[in-house]
Amino acid sequence: MINKLIHNSFFALSLMFFLSISSVWAAAVEPIKEVTEDDYIGDLPRVLTVSRLSQSVTDAPSAVTVIDRETIRASGIVDLPEIFRLVPGFYVGTNAGFIYNTNAVVSYHGMATSFAGTMQVMINGRSVYTPIFGGVKWSELPISIADIEQIEVTRDPNAASYGANSYFGVINILTQHPSEAEGNSVSISHGNCRNEAFYRHGGKLKDLNYRITTGYREDNGLDNRNDFKRTRLLNAQADYQINDTNNLEFEFGIANGTREDGNPDKDYVLFVPREREMFNHFELVRWQHSISDSSDFQLQAYHSTDRSNDNFTSTNLRANAAKFLKENGYSSAAASAVVSTFRDDQVSISNDIDTERYDIEAQHTFSPAKDLRVVWGASARQDEIYAPYWLGTKEKDKFNLQRLFGHAEWRINHKILFNIGGMVEHNSFTDTDFSPRTSLNFKLTPKQTLRLGVSSALRTPNYVEEKFNAKVMIPLIAPFPTGVVYAFQDAGNVKPEKIVSREIGYLGDFGKLSLDAKVFNDEISDYIITPKIQGFVSPPGTVNLSGRPRSGENGGNVLINGFETQAKWKPTNKTNFLLNYSYVDISSKEEETARDIGMSMPRHTFSGLLTHRFNALWDASYAYYQTSEVAALGDGGYVGLARRSDVRVARKFKAERTSGEISAVVENLFNEHYQEFADYNTLKRRARVNVRLDF
């Protein structure tokens, strides 16, 4: 009944808006300044990400979580993906999957895989997802935790603002402005299996503020995985105030290092234990122009490159292929006869992956009438992909994307706020798509808000789903046929997945206690699957050793219902509680989607962070994370209930020209080990000491 009510409200509210908007535009004579909301909003945090307009969290059209700099510090977290354990509805898995062993999975509302491609992730508005797998290579981002000012997490589909990959939500990581990072800072961390050191310098040259951060990090990973990683990074950001109305921002980052990969138990060709080299960099420039008090224009362009050098040699194919053939019905004699024709014991494989992105975007924000704000813009992007193993060609493939977006915020009166927006996209895979969103926010009291929202989003298939065509030819001795095909897959013509999300949200501010809660209903259609091809025949002159290949296509529907809440409580000036809880129920026909899809998100997740400052020098925190049983998709598997406790103690110090902090952190304090994502990922107790010196 509630779902139907919200569904019908979408059309009713949209009609009301378009009937009323004409009179508002007709009454507008000239732009006016932005409406002042202090009388009934107070000092609630403002967000930029949700609608591309600066709004308080109570005015935003979707649920949003803000993780500020102090929360990150108090948590003691040093790996970026770990931060999202403090967001309701999120599931985080350390070093998940067999490809890119050092990568973490960060997913929202389920369907978790080793490359969760259902979240748009940005750093200062720059998209960082990889087009070939669709997810984010978290360990390879050229960013330091110390440079993060806050993280805004939109907990709803947000393709209306940021396009197709904003399927379940958007993460926007905002770094500290250069003007707030003057001076020098050195930070060092040492502990179990992990060491890192960073240096940051910030300064000012007339109207130019700048910040430069460089560092080194190494992590031995988990005991039972080939997941050692070594990373060197450099990040720079500058802000140049040209005059009172024009401003330029520059960003640059570079990261390179070594990664371990491989798990021969899963694949004796592709998953050979080895090391690969990674290298990426980006450059961004942003021009901001103030047209008037109520009108601003922004033009942004960036370029990014992501390279993984990975050339290796397989294990002994004769022994492993014979074993595979026997497991698939061949007799010992037949299997021996096949492998005796192999010309070589091993084959060489080029698994190099190079991606390059060019993106330009223009955005105009203005207030055409009293109580009405509008933002609109357009962007164009081109991705160039080189992945000979995955795409079956040594030629670069190009993916083009054009977007047109708009959003309007109309304050009907001091108690009712209406948001509506949408994005039209045209891309090389699925042609033209449209993603709308609307919400109605009611101020029940000056400190309590009820939100009704409906949004729709599309997830464009990634390259593996659309163009995966991988094969390894094993040469045979003459006069036998061309060779044996180790793997073969030819996908294509996949339609985008579609989600329609409906929610009822509540926000309440009770002084020392604030609440953010919502119930939601997500309906997903055209779920992308990769079933085995029925009746597949190997190419002429070859024998297929990998069983029936798979092909990307659209499957059935998925229904997700649930409830999530976040509470912040400050019982005293020195004590803070942050509590998160989510309940997620996923239902679907597994034969039309994926096995265990109903368990691809823990039914219950809970996280909490308690911080207390004893005096001006000493403070401590305790973080607790709990997830019920889960069976992640893809490379994942079943793991049971997981509990983790982290403790942090810190002491600040100050001298004549220097200041800083020393802290000790213990992860998984009360549990010797637990598993995440799959039973091959076992996390144990780890401790480290962190030292920061500012001068």
Side-chain angles (χ1 to χ4, degrees), residues 256-460:
N256 76 302
T258 304
R259 300 288 187 269
E260 276 188 328
D261 269 327
N263 186 336
D265 292 338
K266 299 297 180 181
D267 187 319
Y268 57 83
V269 175
L270 184 61
F271 299 151
V272 177
R274 63 192 185 274
E275 290 187 357
R276 64 177 177 87
E277 298 294 323
M278 52 78 59
F279 173 79
N280 65 63
H281 65 85
F282 77 93
E283 309 83 35
L284 178 146
V285 59
R286 183 183 296 115
W287 171 46
Q288 295 175 319
H289 174 60
S290 177
I291 302 172
S292 68
D293 290 342
S294 60
S295 181
D296 297 292
F297 177 77
Q298 176 178 290
L299 182 64
Q300 170 184 288
Y302 70 85
H303 163 258
S304 61
T305 297
D306 186 0
R307 295 174 182 166
S308 174
N309 298 326
D310 189 15
N311 293 276
F312 61 95
T313 303
S314 71
T315 57
N316 189 302
L317 294 172
R318 298 182 194 274
N320 285 292
K323 178 182 178 182
F324 174 86
L325 291 171
K326 293 176 184 178
E327 291 174 349
N328 285 272
Y330 284 68
S331 66
S332 296
S336 298
V338 171
V339 299
S340 68
T341 64
F342 289 6
R343 191 185 70 187
D344 305 306
D345 289 337
Q346 298 174 303
V347 293
S348 297
I349 299 172
S350 173
N351 189 35
D352 291 349
I353 300 177
D354 293 353
T355 62
E356 195 163 10
R357 174 169 294 169
Y358 300 87
D359 188 287
I360 185 168
E361 178 183 278
Q363 175 179 301
H364 180 209
T365 305
F366 62 102
S367 180
K370 184 180 180 180
D371 299 331
L372 177 66
R373 294 193 300 157
V374 176
V375 58
W376 74 284
S379 67
R381 176 183 299 170
Q382 183 179 85
D383 288 337
E384 295 183 356
I385 315 296
Y386 172 78
Y389 174 81
W390 298 96
L391 303 184
T393 176
K394 292 185 177 180
E395 300 295 324
K396 284 188 176 181
D397 196 274
K398 294 184 178 180
F399 177 84
N400 292 296
L401 172 66
Q402 300 86 37
R403 292 170 170 171
L404 179 65
F405 58 86
H407 184 92
E409 176 201 81
W410 178 29
R411 189 171 298 282
I412 300 174
N413 55 47
H414 71 281
K415 288 191 174 183
I416 303 177
L417 184 76
F418 186 70
N419 283 279
I420 191 167
M423 175 175 285
V424 178
E425 293 183 285
H426 180 83
N427 68 73
S428 300
F429 284 175
T430 61
D431 201 24
T432 303
D433 303 312
F434 175 61
S435 301
R437 175 182 58 198
T438 188
S439 74
L440 194 61
N441 295 24
F442 297 92
K443 299 289 182 183
L444 305 176
T445 70
K447 298 293 184 179
Q448 297 185 74
T449 301
L450 182 69
R451 180 182 62 250
L452 303 178
V454 180
S455 58
S456 178
L458 299 166
R459 185 179 77 81
T460 303

Side-chain angles (χ1 to χ4, degrees), residues 517-529:
K518 75 168 188 175
V519 293
F520 58 88
N521 164 257
D522 297 339
E523 294 183 0
I524 297 171
S525 56
D526 292 323
Y527 179 81
I528 297 177
I529 59 176

Side-chain angles (χ1 to χ4, degrees), residues 34 56 82 96 114 122 154 206 212 223 246 316 362 478 511 571 650:
E34 180 181 330
S56 74
E82 300 279 312
S114 53
M122 303 181 294
T154 306
K206 294 185 179 180
I212 301 173
D223 289 348
N246 292 280
N316 189 302

Side-chain angles (χ1 to χ4, degrees), residues 130-152:
T130 172
I132 190 162
F133 299 113
V136 175
K137 292 191 284 186
W138 291 97
S139 71
E140 302 182 7
L141 298 178
I143 186 172
S144 166
I145 292 285
D147 288 338
I148 297 175
E149 180 63 25
Q150 72 177 33
I151 302 175
E152 297 179 3

